[in-house]
Amino acid sequence: MKNAFYRFKKFIKKPYNLILLIMLIFLGYLTLFPLLTMVKDTITVHVSESLRLKKTVGSFTFSHWVKVLFDPSSLSIFYKPLLNSLVTSLGACFVALLFGGVFSWLVTRTNMRWKKTLSALFIFPYIMPSWTLALAWYNVFKNSVVGGVPGTFAALTGIETPNWFAYGAFPIALVTGLHYAPFAYIMIGGILRNMDANLEEAAMMLNTSRRRIVMKITIPMVLPAVLSTFLLVFSSAMSSFAVPAFLGLPVRYQVLTTQLYRTLNGINPGQGYCIAMLMILLSVAILAFNQRLVGTRKNYTTVTGKSSNISFVNLKKARTAISIIVAILLILVSVLPLVSFALESVILHPGDYSLDNMTLQFWIGTAEQNSIANNEPGLLRNPSLWSALLNSLKLSAICAITAGTLGFLAGYGIVRGRGTKLAKIVDNLAFFPYLMPAMAFSVIYLSMFSVRHGIIPALYGTFFLLVLIGTIKYMPFASRSGINAMMQLSTQIEEAGEIIGVGWFKRMVRLVIPIQKSSFISGYLLPFISCMRELSLFVLLVTPSNRVLTTLLFYYNEKGWNQYSNGINLMIVIIVLLINGIVNKATGASIDKGIGG
């Protein structure tokens, strides 16, 4: 017994072991235990179901699983939304790989003009909230058949867009793919930039055509990056809620996330928990497939010790034309949405874009002036907006501080304890929330904290629950940043401070953090920006008293008050870009340097 106590005392004397032990308890309780609670809720009768099922609340039932998987109605409850999710996700992968892959090749392998400016523009769709392009698409291409009034395109041209073009699978796949195209650009572009050009040069010396070089050499070289991008975009698209909500619900095009929202807000929460569980299993399967692929695929050596001068393709006379076309496309994707939001927020009667129909009453008007929106005061005079803005800033700041600090500590402990079982377990637990679709993760916390558990009170409806789920969900961003920073930092620096008697906390503050300041600040910035633009994670957990900007936007959009929802969207985008720009100028850290989260 004494030996065990002595070993334990010696074990926790090392700061990283103590950190890992605390993280194991903390993350285990907030990731694995809620998951078990949700599993229980899939086989439990809930209050809204007891009369219909003729069973007491809390009793066992397998009817939820039967209804979702085996009942004739399961076609509309689960299988059709699953098929829709697969279609839109695969479409998004195609768009992201095509758009991002071609752009990365143009930037790294051709003499295209304005590369630096165009690269910055290309990152914009990812920095902005995912639904930005969705709402812009709706504003421009909606038709009078479903939207009630024509969009900008129909108003200017007189041509009504068909339903398949304005709503449903096509725009959802296109918009989602454009949002995640920066993944493909960064991952494929990194391989192309660092790839040894000797093979391509040798093929050119043998008079091999440019097309054959691309098909037989370049594409196989970037195949690992293409596969990684495909899986990343696919899993992200499968868990997307905002884009399908804006572009699918007008024509009742349900995907798994919107169906999940519908069931949990209806009278069938048990079915919702089952769908969430199936979404989680699907995410884990995607991860397992990715790991198997990484472990078994062929090794493509792209960086050697030899000279790797890149041979640029001379676009010749097409150089200027291609550069202009790319610039126009990026402006349409990055800048036009902001113009669309500003325009739609000042239109009095939708569909009429004349100057006489433009007004600032939805921004600065009184309640009496806005009768078409149930006498809501203008946004800048609206107490609901200022309350939601304050909640968003407060929530984002707290989540950034907690997730950033915990992520840094987790990264420190994982790297310093590398090779131990404890470090591996904590690493997996810290990354686990990233694998969870945001809405499914929200369902887990809704299940766990809607009732009291021992000394832990029911937290549903409290601001603390939003902080808790935001911290855990965004911690993987900070932990990856912390791991990368600590992997680059030699242990000798810290050991030197330890030799001269400097304590652990002082070593962190005076040595470790200043040296890797930019990486650590990115670990705080990523959770802040992500929280400011998050909708899926909070939409099921907020109440009217603790709304944030994104859920207020969704509320106004459901009401059909498009001027308000467009105005709030414009505010969110400007705030996100402004904060990212300020931090980037001040510290060198930027959200686009941490893409992948």
Side-chain angles (χ1 to χ4, degrees):
M1 190 71 179
K2 286 183 178 180
N3 287 337
F5 178 76
Y6 174 76
R7 285 197 301 271
F8 179 74
K9 189 176 178 181
K10 185 180 177 181
F11 175 81
I12 62 172
K13 269 190 174 182
K14 295 179 180 178
Y16 64 82
N17 282 333
L18 182 60
I19 289 171
L20 289 173
L21 191 60
I22 293 172
M23 285 292 172
L24 176 65
I25 298 169
F26 177 75
L27 292 173
Y29 180 74
L30 291 175
T31 56
L32 297 182
F33 184 69
L35 186 61
L36 295 175
T37 304
M38 194 186 74
V39 171
K40 176 177 171 288
D41 277 332
T42 65
I43 52 174
T44 301
V45 176
H46 301 272
V47 175
S48 59
E49 303 164 336
S50 59
L51 289 176
R52 189 177 71 257
L53 297 177
K54 297 179 182 179
K55 291 186 177 182
T56 58
V57 176
S59 61
F60 173 83
T61 180
F62 202 64
S63 62
H64 305 320
W65 286 106
V66 172
K67 196 76 174 175
V68 169
L69 294 177
F70 307 112
D71 192 81
S73 61
S74 63
L75 183 65
S76 59
I77 293 174
F78 177 69
Y79 291 110
K80 193 171 180 180
L82 173 62
L83 179 62
N84 291 341
S85 291
L86 291 173
V87 168
T88 53
S89 298
L90 290 172
C93 290
F94 175 78
V95 172
L97 287 170
L98 179 65
F99 196 43
V102 170
F103 184 73
S104 64
W105 182 79
L106 287 171
V107 169
T108 59
R109 289 309 179 96
T110 73
N111 61 341
M112 184 178 68
R113 298 181 187 276
W114 318 311
K115 291 182 181 181
K116 190 173 182 180
T117 302
L118 294 179
S119 293
L121 270 178
F122 198 85
I123 299 298
F124 259 47
Y126 180 77
I127 296 178
M128 295 188 293
S130 61
W131 69 81
T132 301
L133 285 175
L135 193 54
W137 184 277
Y138 180 82
N139 289 339
V140 175
F141 295 113
K142 65 183 176 181
N143 58 41
S144 57
V145 177
V146 176
V149 291
T152 312
F153 179 79
L156 294 176
T157 64
I159 302 172
E160 288 271 12
T161 55
N163 278 358
W164 69 265
F165 187 84
Y167 320 99
F170 175 74
I172 291 172
L174 180 62
V175 164
T176 307
L178 290 174
H179 177 68
Y180 290 113
F183 286 161
Y185 168 54
I186 288 179
M187 298 179 77
I188 297 173
I191 296 292
L192 289 173
R193 188 175 292 111
N194 296 321
M195 191 170 70
D196 194 332
N198 286 337
L199 285 174
E200 292 176 310
E201 290 172 357
M204 290 176 69
M205 290 174 65
L206 294 172
N207 293 323
T208 307
S209 67
R210 174 61 64 177
R211 179 179 174 277
R212 189 169 177 81
I213 290 173
V214 170
M215 296 300 296
K216 295 295 184 180
I217 297 177
T218 308
I219 290 179
M221 286 286 192
V222 300
L223 188 59
V226 170
L227 292 173
S228 296
T229 303
F230 177 87
L231 292 171
L232 183 61
V233 174
F234 184 82
S235 59
S236 299
M238 283 290 290
S239 63
S240 174
F241 167 74
V243 175
F246 282 115
L247 295 177
L249 293 185
V251 288
R252 298 182 181 178
Y253 187 86
Q254 299 283 356
V255 296
L256 284 178
T257 50
T258 55
Q259 179 69 4
L260 177 60
Y261 177 78
R262 182 167 168 259
T263 52
L264 286 172
N265 276 336
I267 59 172
N268 300 303
Q271 295 175 22
Y273 291 124
C274 291
I275 293 173
M277 193 68 215
L278 291 167
M279 288 177 67
I280 291 170
L281 292 174
L282 185 61
S283 296
V284 172
I286 292 171
L287 174 69
F289 179 69
N290 183 39
Q291 289 181 333
R292 183 175 179 83
L293 202 63
V294 170
T296 59
R297 70 187 178 205
K298 295 178 182 179
N299 183 38
Y300 294 96
T301 302
T302 62
V303 181
T304 69
K306 300 177 183 179
S307 172
S308 56
N309 295 323
I310 297 174
S311 57
F312 286 98
V313 176
N314 188 352
L315 298 176
K316 298 179 183 178
K317 292 181 180 180
R319 182 187 182 195
T320 301
I322 290 174
S323 301
I324 291 173
I325 290 171
V326 172
I328 291 172
L329 286 174
L330 291 180
I331 289 172
L332 289 175
V333 171
S334 304
V335 180
L336 189 61
L338 303 184
V339 176
S340 168
F341 302 144
L343 182 63
E344 292 290 334
S345 69
V346 297
I347 295 295
L348 181 61
H349 301 294
D352 181 0
Y353 294 92
S354 64
L355 289 175
D356 294 337
N357 192 46
M358 294 184 185
T359 176
L360 291 176
Q361 70 182 54
F362 300 106
W363 285 96
I364 58 176
T366 61
E368 291 75 19
Q369 289 177 293
N370 294 333
S371 58
I372 62 174
N374 283 3
N375 297 114
E376 282 277 319
L379 288 172
L380 298 181
R381 290 187 172 191
N382 198 321
S384 297
L385 178 123
W386 292 110
S387 173
L389 175 60
L390 180 63
N391 284 340
S392 285
L393 292 172
K394 184 169 64 173
L395 177 62
S396 300
I398 296 173
C399 285
I401 292 169
T402 52
T405 302
L406 291 172
F408 159 66
L409 292 173
Y412 174 84
I414 290 165
V415 173
R416 291 292 182 257
R418 189 171 41 177
T420 63
K421 287 184 179 179
L422 183 58
K424 290 179 181 177
I425 293 172
V426 172
D427 189 15
N428 290 329
L429 284 176
F431 192 67
F432 182 69
Y434 179 78
L435 304 177
M436 297 293 103
M439 185 160 283
F441 199 65
S442 177
V443 171
I444 291 176
Y445 273 61
L446 180 65
S447 171
M448 177 177 177
F449 293 108
S450 58
V451 295
R452 186 183 187 91
H453 289 280
I455 61 172
I456 307 297
L459 297 175
Y460 176 71
T462 65
F463 189 78
F464 180 75
L465 180 59
L466 302 183
V467 171
L468 191 63
I469 193 171
T471 297
I472 300 302
K473 180 62 179 175
Y474 303 130
M475 189 177 155
F477 299 161
S479 68
R480 292 299 109 180
S481 180
I483 289 171
N484 292 337
M486 294 308 300
M487 289 286 281
Q488 294 173 346
L489 196 64
S490 172
T491 57
Q492 295 174 352
I493 297 173
E494 197 179 344
E495 288 168 357
E498 190 175 3
I499 289 171
I500 60 174
V502 180
W504 178 82
F505 182 78
K506 201 169 185 179
R507 293 199 305 270
M508 293 296 104
V509 174
R510 296 291 181 87
L511 292 174
V512 175
I513 293 176
I515 292 173
Q516 293 289 57
K517 179 183 67 173
S518 179
S519 295
F520 291 136
I521 290 176
S522 293
Y524 286 91
L525 178 63
L526 282 166
F528 185 93
I529 300 294
S530 299
C531 193
M532 277 296 298
R533 60 185 189 169
E534 182 61 66
L535 174 63
S536 305
L537 191 66
F538 302 131
V539 70
L540 291 172
L541 301 177
V542 297
T543 59
S545 62
N546 59 17
R547 278 199 185 110
V548 292
L549 276 181
T550 51
T551 58
L552 183 64
L553 179 153
F554 189 67
Y555 168 76
Y556 282 145
N557 189 74
E558 283 190 315
K559 289 282 186 181
W561 302 342
N562 293 331
Q563 296 92 337
Y564 288 87
S565 60
N566 278 280
I568 294 175
N569 204 14
L570 182 64
M571 291 180 65
I572 293 172
V573 172
I574 290 174
I575 291 170
V576 168
L577 294 177
L578 190 63
I579 292 172
N580 186 60
I582 290 171
V583 175
N584 179 240
K585 286 291 184 185
T587 67
S590 175
I591 189 173
D592 50 277
K593 294 177 182 177
I595 279 184

